[in-house]
């Protein structure tokens, strides 16, 4: 039985999760399955780059695809070709869509979001509207954290664009997005940043990303203090291997660990993930570090279905990101697997992990402080205490219910009544 | 006499002597019957080169008992009066009664392409002859000079000196004579060519024994001299390691100079730099063509500022500004129709060169409210983002439901100049024009389109509200008025300066508040553009 009848909802992902397993894609698909699970009439619409057309296999009859051509997309103002808008309009009409929930505007273009004739809600997954630097809010090329965007500051990162063009970008995106029906942010931090930038705070709902398959947290891997030579403390990294995610920090920490033979005998840093499209020098540095440091293991790519088992083979999950993050799915997955998290002390990470309760925070980007946190994590009794503090993880159905409530709230605020 | 103090006139005198000998050959030897009897063969010609002045440089060998300077007949199936001046040097592969020779021939013969026969007849009754090897190598003049440099030390001094004088003569444009000219060395770092003006050159010149008094350059067939009032020397400490022992010379080894003259920039070839010494001699240096940039094509006018930081105070600045303007006019090019859809009123947009801006402009056009009897006309640059422009145009045609036209032009910053042709092609009597990088706010579009919809004669300039005066960035008017006014307006660098003279329209320019923005190309022009345009404006006012 449906819990309520909002009419047919389309959940839209900027890439199909069968092609890319980023957090936004996974969250969008989990929401879609969650809505279906609680009886809502939902379809899933994913953008598919032309070059990936042959690779894509849709998961069910409730999935649709919008073909996008990168050559016709403008990645500065985020404007897609009219053909993309037309494809979306055809889906809206043919499927009788009453509400659109976009997870990201990338590939679809903000022009499409504002042009479609039904209420549209945008779920924010990073800071792309505010920051042209991949939405990371870190400066270029120095890669320091950026506290707030402004045309002059953005032009300092991209001098070839100029402040006037960034002012135009801000005006265009703020106008285009400001007209949407509402926004969902998986973190209070991101919501705050977007409100500071100019989105209407009253129309931003904070809803945590739910996992597709939520379950009670697993117990610790091997309770009690580990002895040298008997076993190692395993700190696992899960995710894309790129500079934003802070993998370089792990390489630096591995070097510090190797400098302390007693520590090196008790600790392993295990990196799971895929390295695609990274600069050759980064790949070379990574491979050299893995070859040089016995405490550093590269476990390679993994299937997301196996992430729980792989995390349970670790004692802790490390999230060393050097940018603000929003609500990393990897933190939810770690909690679901019963593993405390070591992460940076900023942004969405600090919001999701309570220091000393569900994990340990370290100064973002600081290898010495990460090593301090690791040493602390290995102290007797610490892991058990942190495991006990891990919060319950939201599932897809709970997320779907929260979204429905938010949709209804947006509609009510607009004075048009709930969709359907 | 030391080699470094070859008298200035000496080189010229060699040429004069050869000229006299050739005249004698023409007068007395052309009628003599030639008999290439093997017993009279006295040597061979191994290589020839023709220099820019038409002198033939030869290398080969000759019997020792023959003179080294003589009138002659060059024969290749046809007789050519000639004069020969050679120097000799020993070569181990030759028999004792022969020596190697290098020298110059004044003759109107030129080596043809492919294999050729070559004889030089000389001596009493033209009894003796040298014959060309099979084949004779045809060298670049620089290779011949290199050859001379290598053998010069072994040459007979009395006969080598006149040739050296010829090479180092201030009138000579033989390349690569720098070492023959007192061991001078020179190099050119960059050349900025501006048609109608000349060239700006930066380089260095080292002459340890002679003072460099000036510079000249040869581009193709054109010789230009450095303007003494626009020549200065400067230190080149980056050459300290290359020349560790030249002491204070390092402080003035660098040079910057403006060379004034009508250089054919399309046919500049490999230029030659001439160092003119205080004693009247000179040394030449071949300059790689890769050092040349054409202002307005492969170099921005601002590049000149690196050579002349006080450019606007230089004496040549007015000429420079006028040459830039003339070059801009020459580049205006045409207005090539790609799609013409007639419309009585036209919204004409000069498309931004930036891909992202073009996408944004197209997106905002969809919201602008163009309709009624209005058509859309896009003026886009031929290069750059042409593929995106075609996609954008197709999208606009599909979305707007009004006649859409597209023209390709050379330079969007000068789109104003192409307006009459585009408007006449679509048959528009009235138009609204927005320059590249101009974006209107919704209120700006409403005001501008309302002005377009009216049938008034006056020119209405859009005030975007950015504190800059209304002008060529955006205005509404009628086609006939613009076509009459435009030929009287100066062309400014960057296409935009003040109101571009539009205020001279009959009735002046009415100001219409139309909120909007300028970005990219329409931003504030460079400081140099401002100086140049102010100079042009002053010229225009005087005219």
């Amino acid at each position: 039985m449906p819990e309520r009848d909002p009419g047919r909802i389309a959940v839209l992902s900027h890439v199909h999760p069968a092609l890319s397993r980023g957090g936004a894609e996974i969250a969008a698909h989990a929401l879609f399955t969650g809505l279906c699970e609680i009886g809502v009439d939902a379809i899933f619409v994913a953008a598919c780059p032309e070059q990936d057309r042959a690779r894509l296999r849709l998961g069910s009859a409730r999935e649709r695809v919008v073909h996008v051509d990168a050559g016709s997309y403008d990645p500065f103002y985020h404007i897609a070709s009219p053909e993309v808008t037309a494809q979306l309009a055809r889906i809206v009409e043919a499927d009788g869509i009453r509400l659109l929930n976009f997870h990201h505007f990338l590939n679809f273009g903000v022009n499409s979001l504002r042009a479609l004739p039904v209420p549209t809600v945008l779920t924010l997954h990073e800071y792309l509207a505010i920051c042209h630097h991949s939405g990371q809010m870190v400066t270029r090329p120095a890669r320091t954290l950026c506290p707030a965007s402004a045309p002059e500051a953005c032009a300092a990162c991209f001098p070839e664009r100029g402040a006037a063009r960034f002012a135009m970008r801000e005006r265009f995106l703020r106008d285009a997005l400001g007209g949407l029906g509402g926004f969902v942010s998986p973190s209070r931090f991101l919501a705050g940043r977007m409100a500071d930038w100019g989105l209407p705070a009253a129309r931003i709902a904070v809803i945590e990303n739910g996992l597709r398959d939520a379950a009670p947290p697993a117990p610790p891997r091997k309770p009690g203090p580990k002895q040298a030579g008997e076993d190692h403390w395993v700190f696992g990294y899960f995710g894309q291997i790129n500079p934003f995610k802070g993998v370089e920090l792990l390489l630096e920490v591995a070097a510090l660990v190797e400098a302390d033979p007693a520590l090196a005998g008790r600790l392993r840093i295990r990196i799971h993930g895929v390295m695609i499209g990274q600069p050759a020098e980064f790949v070379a540095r990574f491979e050299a570090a893995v070859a040089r440091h016995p405490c550093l293991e590269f476990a390679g790519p993994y299937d997301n279905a196996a992430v729980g088992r792989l995390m349970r083979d670790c004692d802790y999950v490390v999230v060393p990101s050097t940018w603000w993050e929003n609500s990393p799915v990897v933190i939810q997955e770690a909690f679901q697997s019963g593993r405390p998290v070591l992460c940076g002390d900023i942004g969405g990470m600090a919001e999701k992990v309570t220091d000393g309760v569900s994990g340990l925070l370290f100064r973002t980007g600081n290898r010495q402080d990460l090593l301090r946190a690791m040493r602390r994590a290995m102290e007797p009794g610490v892991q058990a205490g942190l495991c006990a503090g891990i919060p319950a993880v939201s599932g897809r159905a709970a997320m779907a219910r929260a979204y429905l409530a938010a949709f209804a709230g947006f509609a009510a605020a607009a004075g048009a009544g709930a969709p359907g | 006499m030391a080699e470094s103090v070859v008298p200035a006139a000496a080189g010229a005198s060699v040429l004069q002597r050869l000229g006299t000998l050739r005249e004698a050959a023409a007068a007395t030897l052309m009628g003599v019957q030639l008999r290439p009897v093997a017993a009279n063969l006295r040597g061979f010609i191994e290589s020839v080169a023709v220099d820019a002045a038409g002198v033939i440089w030869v290398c080969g060998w000759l019997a020792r008992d023959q003179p080294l300077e003589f009138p002659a007949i060059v024969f290749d199936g046809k007789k050519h009066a000639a004069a020969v001046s050679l120097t000799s040097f020993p070569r181990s592969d030759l028999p004792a009664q022969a020596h190697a020779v290098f020298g110059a021939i004044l003759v109107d013969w030129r080596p043809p392409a492919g294999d050729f026969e070559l004889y030089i007849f000389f001596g009493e009754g033209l009894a003796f002859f040298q014959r060309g090897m099979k084949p004779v190598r045809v060298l670049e003049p620089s290779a011949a000079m290199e050859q001379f440099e290598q053998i010069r030390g072994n040459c007979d001094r009395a006969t080598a000196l006149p040739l050296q004088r010829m090479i180092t003569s201030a009138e000579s444009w033989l390349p690569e004579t720098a070492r023959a000219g007192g061991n001078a060395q020179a190099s050119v770092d960059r050349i900025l060519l501006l048609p109608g003006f000349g060239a700006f050159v930066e380089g260095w010149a080292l002459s340890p024994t002679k003072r460099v008094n000036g510079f000249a350059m040869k581009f193709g067939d054109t010789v230009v001299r450095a303007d003494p009032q626009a020549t200065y020397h400067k230190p080149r400490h980056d050459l300290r390691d290359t020349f560790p022992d030249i002491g204070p010379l390092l402080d003035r080894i660098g040079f910057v100079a403006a060379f004034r003259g009508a250089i054919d920039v399309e046919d500049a070839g490999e230029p030659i730099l001439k160092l003119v010494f205080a004693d009247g001699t000179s040394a030449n240096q071949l300059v790689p063509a890769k050092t040349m940039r054409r202002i307005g094509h492969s170099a921005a006018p601002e590049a000149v500022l690196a050579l002349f930081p006080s450019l606007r105070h230089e004496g040549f600045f007015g000429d420079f500004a006028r040459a830039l303007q003339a070059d801009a006019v020459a580049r205006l090019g045409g207005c090539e129709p790609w799609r013409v859809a007639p419309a009585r009123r036209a919204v004409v947009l000069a498309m931004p060169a930036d891909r992202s801006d073009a996408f944004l402009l197209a997106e905002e056009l969809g919201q602008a409210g163009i309709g009624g009897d209005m058509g859309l006309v896009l003026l886009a640059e031929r290069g750059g983002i042409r593929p995106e422009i075609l996609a954008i145009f197709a999208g606009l045609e599909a979305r707007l439901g009004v006649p859409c036209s597209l023209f390709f032009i050379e330079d969007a910053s000068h789109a104003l100049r192409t307006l009459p042709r585009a408007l006449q092609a679509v048959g528009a009597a009235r138009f609204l024009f927005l320059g590249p990088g101009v974006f209107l706010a919704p209120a700006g579009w409403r005001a501008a389109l309302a002005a377009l919809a009216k049938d008034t004669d006056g020119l209405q300039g859009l005030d975007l509200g950015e504190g800059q005066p209304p002008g060529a960035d955006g205005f509404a008017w009628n086609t006939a008025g613009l076509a009459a006014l435009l030929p009287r307006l100066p062309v400014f660098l960057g296409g935009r300066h003040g109101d571009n003279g539009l205020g001279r329209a009959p009735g002046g320019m009415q100001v219409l508040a139309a909120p909007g923005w300028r970005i990219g190309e329409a931003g504030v022009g460079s400081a140099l553009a401002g100086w140049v345009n102010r100079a042009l404006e002053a010229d225009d006012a005087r005219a």
Side-chain angles (χ1 to χ4, degrees):
Chain A
M1 279 289 291
E3 298 189 359
R4 51 183 293 134
D5 182 16
R8 177 169 281 188
I9 294 174
V11 178
L12 300 99
S13 174
H14 70 292
V15 187
H16 195 285
L19 299 173
S20 164
R21 300 290 296 172
E25 301 92 297
I26 292 171
H29 204 262
L31 174 62
F32 159 64
T33 54
L35 288 169
C36 293
E37 188 174 296
I38 64 173
V40 173
D41 182 9
I43 66 168
F44 184 71
V45 182
C48 174
E50 287 289 354
Q51 71 270 19
D52 293 327
R53 193 185 269 254
R55 282 209 296 140
L56 181 61
R57 296 283 178 275
L58 296 180
S60 77
R62 286 189 165 272
E63 295 191 4
R64 309 282 182 271
V65 65
V66 171
H67 294 288
V68 296
D69 171 18
S72 301
Y73 186 83
D74 174 55
F76 184 70
Y77 296 112
H78 293 284
I79 296 170
S81 80
E83 288 165 10
V84 172
T85 313
Q87 288 183 68
L88 287 165
R90 282 196 292 275
I91 290 172
V92 167
E93 187 179 354
D95 282 293
I97 302 300
R98 305 298 300 273
L99 186 142
L100 294 158
N101 175 209
F102 282 88
H103 286 248
H104 226 309
F105 49 72
L106 203 62
N107 287 335
F108 297 119
V110 291
N111 55 318
S112 297
L113 270 66
R114 72 171 175 177
L116 294 167
V118 290
T120 298
V121 173
L122 173 64
T123 297
L124 307 159
H125 286 282
E126 28 58 352
Y127 310 87
L128 193 59
I130 304 178
C131 175
H132 180 53
H133 193 197
S134 304
Q136 307 288 308
M137 294 294 287
V138 292
T139 62
R140 176 178 180 259
R143 300 186 51 76
T144 58
L145 291 167
C146 174
S149 70
E152 292 75 18
C154 295
C157 285
F158 294 91
E160 69 279 15
R161 292 268 175 196
R165 197 169 270 120
F166 274 105
M168 185 66 76
R169 182 184 192 272
E170 182 178 292
R171 178 192 65 79
F172 172 70
L173 289 174
R174 193 184 282 154
D175 287 354
L177 296 179
L180 301 183
F183 306 89
V184 174
S185 167
S187 72
R188 292 189 304 277
F189 183 80
L190 174 60
R193 278 286 172 96
M194 298 305 291
D196 291 346
W197 178 69
L199 290 188
R203 276 192 277 143
I204 306 177
V206 177
I207 301 174
E208 177 58 277
N209 289 327
L211 289 186
R212 183 184 163 90
D213 302 304
R221 185 169 67 103
K222 189 181 284 187
K226 293 174 171 61
Q227 302 298 317
E230 175 191 295
D231 197 359
H232 301 91
W233 289 90
V234 179
F235 293 83
Y237 170 88
F238 295 82
Q240 294 172 22
I241 299 174
N242 67 46
F244 284 130
K245 293 292 183 183
V247 173
E248 298 225 40
L249 192 66
L250 293 181
L251 307 186
E252 292 170 8
V253 167
L256 293 178
V257 170
E258 292 296 340
D260 181 346
L263 183 61
R266 299 177 57 212
L267 184 155
R268 288 285 178 272
I269 298 170
R270 185 178 296 156
I271 296 176
H272 297 266
V274 63
M275 183 157 35
I276 294 174
Q278 297 307 312
E281 58 202 38
F282 172 76
V283 174
R285 214 160 44 241
F286 180 86
E287 290 174 347
V290 170
R292 191 183 313 124
H293 305 313
C295 72
L296 192 61
E297 300 173 9
F298 178 43
Y302 61 96
D303 183 339
N304 199 246
V307 71
R309 176 176 58 76
L310 296 172
M311 284 184 168
R312 287 192 293 276
D313 285 344
C314 303
D315 296 294
Y316 289 94
V317 170
V318 187
V319 183
S321 289
T322 53
W323 70 291
W324 304 93
E325 290 282 4
N326 167 27
S327 178
V329 172
V330 68
I331 292 180
Q332 305 294 316
E333 291 170 337
F335 288 166
Q336 164 126 339
S337 304
R339 297 296 173 258
V341 172
L342 273 61
C343 65
D345 59 351
I346 58 167
M349 295 178 289
E351 181 182 323
K352 304 297 174 182
V353 177
T354 306
D355 190 27
V357 176
S358 54
L360 298 171
L361 302 185
F362 57 89
R363 288 199 298 281
T364 298
N366 187 311
R367 59 188 172 187
Q368 294 288 358
D369 207 41
L370 173 53
L371 185 62
R372 176 202 58 76
M374 286 175 155
R375 287 183 189 276
R376 169 86 179 121
M378 293 162 62
E379 289 173 6
V382 170
Q383 189 198 24
L386 295 174
C387 285
I390 289 174
V393 175
S394 174
R396 59 189 178 187
M399 173 170 60
R401 289 190 190 94
Y403 264 82
L404 284 182
F407 295 158
F410 297 146
Chain B
M1 186 189 290
E3 288 180 5
S4 57
V5 287
V6 177
S13 70
V14 179
L15 273 174
Q16 283 168 3
R17 208 165 59 233
L18 285 176
T20 305
L21 284 174
R22 185 169 66 163
E23 281 174 20
T28 62
L29 301 180
M30 288 296 280
V32 178
Q33 194 168 10
L34 305 178
R35 300 176 194 279
V37 180
N40 291 338
L41 177 64
R42 290 294 182 269
F44 280 88
I45 300 297
E46 295 166 340
S47 66
V48 297
V50 188
D51 75 15
V55 175
I56 306 286
W57 294 87
V58 295
C59 192
W61 62 267
L62 186 66
R64 286 181 183 271
D65 59 358
Q66 296 302 314
L68 292 172
E69 192 166 291
F70 46 80
I73 291 293
V74 169
F75 181 76
D76 63 344
K78 190 179 161 196
K79 293 177 180 176
H80 305 267
V84 178
S85 179
L86 302 171
T87 184
S88 63
F89 57 99
R91 216 170 74 185
S92 59
D93 62 320
L94 298 176
Q97 64 272 28
H99 51 192
V101 289
F102 177 92
I105 306 179
L106 208 56
V107 64
D108 62 4
W109 171 82
R110 296 290 178 269
D115 293 343
F116 55 87
E117 293 279 340
L118 177 64
Y119 295 87
I120 300 174
F121 288 91
F122 57 94
E124 186 66 38
L126 298 180
F128 305 115
F129 67 97
Q130 274 181 298
R131 205 177 74 196
M133 295 288 285
K134 291 187 177 174
V136 176
R137 286 186 300 136
V138 179
L139 304 178
E140 289 296 319
S142 56
M145 292 309 105
E146 185 63 35
Q147 220 171 22
F148 182 55
E149 266 313 298
Q150 287 171 5
I151 53 107
R152 189 159 61 96
N154 295 328
C155 285
D156 167 60
R157 187 171 168 75
T159 50
L161 263 180
L163 292 172
Q164 188 191 350
R165 288 167 185 156
M166 194 169 156
I167 290 166
T168 59
S169 157
E171 303 308 313
S172 162
W173 282 99
L174 282 168
E176 309 288 356
T177 64
R179 276 184 289 168
N183 279 325
Q185 294 183 61
S187 178
V188 168
D189 300 321
R190 57 178 154 176
I191 299 174
L192 300 170
L193 295 167
L194 178 61
F197 178 87
F200 299 96
V201 179
E202 181 178 30
W204 56 265
L206 172 64
S207 171
T209 54
K210 301 189 199 181
R211 194 163 60 81
V212 177
N213 221 19
F215 302 92
M217 289 201 73
K218 187 165 186 286
F219 295 90
D221 293 330
T222 307
V223 174
V224 288
R225 300 189 189 285
D227 177 354
Q229 292 203 321
T231 301
Y232 68 94
H233 293 270
K234 61 181 191 177
R236 286 292 297 260
H237 296 296
D238 55 313
L239 298 174
R240 186 185 302 279
D241 291 342
T242 311
F243 303 115
D245 303 323
I246 59 171
L249 262 186
L250 203 61
D251 287 336
R252 50 177 287 112
I253 185 173
F255 73 88
V256 171
F259 292 75
R260 306 293 304 278
I263 298 168
D264 181 355
V265 297
E266 310 284 347
D267 190 28
E270 279 199 316
I272 299 170
L273 169 71
K274 178 188 288 295
L275 313 182
V276 181
F277 300 115
D279 65 3
T281 60
S282 70
N284 299 340
Q285 177 69 49
L286 198 62
V287 178
K290 67 182 180 185
T291 58
M292 287 191 290
R293 296 286 182 275
R294 178 176 176 166
I295 293 170
H297 177 64
S298 50
E302 284 74 10
V304 181
L305 284 167
L307 277 62
F308 291 95
S310 293
L311 182 59
R312 64 183 162 141
H313 302 301
E314 296 285 352
F316 59 74
F317 185 71
D319 291 343
F320 173 69
R322 285 183 283 279
L324 281 178
Q325 183 186 43
D327 195 45
V329 170
R331 290 161 179 279
L332 284 179
C335 181
E336 174 193 330
W338 192 84
R339 178 76 49 83
V340 177
R344 184 162 168 262
R345 300 172 201 272
V347 175
V348 188
L349 303 176
M351 293 302 286
D354 180 86
R355 179 184 188 275
S356 296
D357 291 345
F359 271 92
L360 180 62
L361 185 61
E363 166 64 14
E364 301 215 324
L365 270 177
Q367 319 270 323
I370 299 172
D373 60 356
M374 297 174 190
L376 176 70
V377 177
L378 301 187
L379 305 177
E381 290 184 0
R382 288 188 184 91
I385 59 168
R386 185 178 183 277
E388 286 86 351
I389 291 292
L390 293 183
I392 285 170
F393 182 73
L396 288 170
E397 270 190 315
R399 285 167 68 201
L400 295 185
V402 300
C404 292
S405 301
L406 173 61
F407 295 83
F408 283 104
I409 60 177
E410 191 64 34
D411 180 357
S413 63
H414 289 287
L416 177 66
R417 294 279 153 182
T418 63
L419 259 182
R421 285 189 60 188
L423 291 166
Q424 283 153 11
V426 300
R430 273 188 70 72
F431 66 91
L432 164 69
F433 172 71
L434 296 182
V438 173
F439 292 78
L440 294 181
W445 275 114
R446 283 193 295 276
L449 293 180
L452 175 62
K454 286 180 192 160
D455 287 317
T456 56
D457 288 335
L459 188 157
Q460 291 177 291
L462 306 189
D463 180 359
L464 303 180
E466 290 196 310
Q468 293 191 49
D473 276 348
F475 62 99
W477 204 16
N478 60 65
T479 303
L482 180 72
L485 177 66
L486 207 53
R488 294 192 280 125
L489 302 185
V491 173
F492 289 108
L493 201 63
R496 180 167 166 264
H497 180 66
D499 70 357
N500 280 57
L502 291 175
R504 297 183 210 167
M509 184 192 299
Q510 301 161 35
V511 178
L512 177 69
W517 305 269
R518 295 177 176 90
I519 59 173
E521 300 87 334
V524 177
S526 70
L528 176 60
W531 302 331
V532 167
N533 288 336
R534 278 192 286 280
L536 296 175
E537 195 173 41
D539 273 1
D540 188 54
R542 279 192 293 273

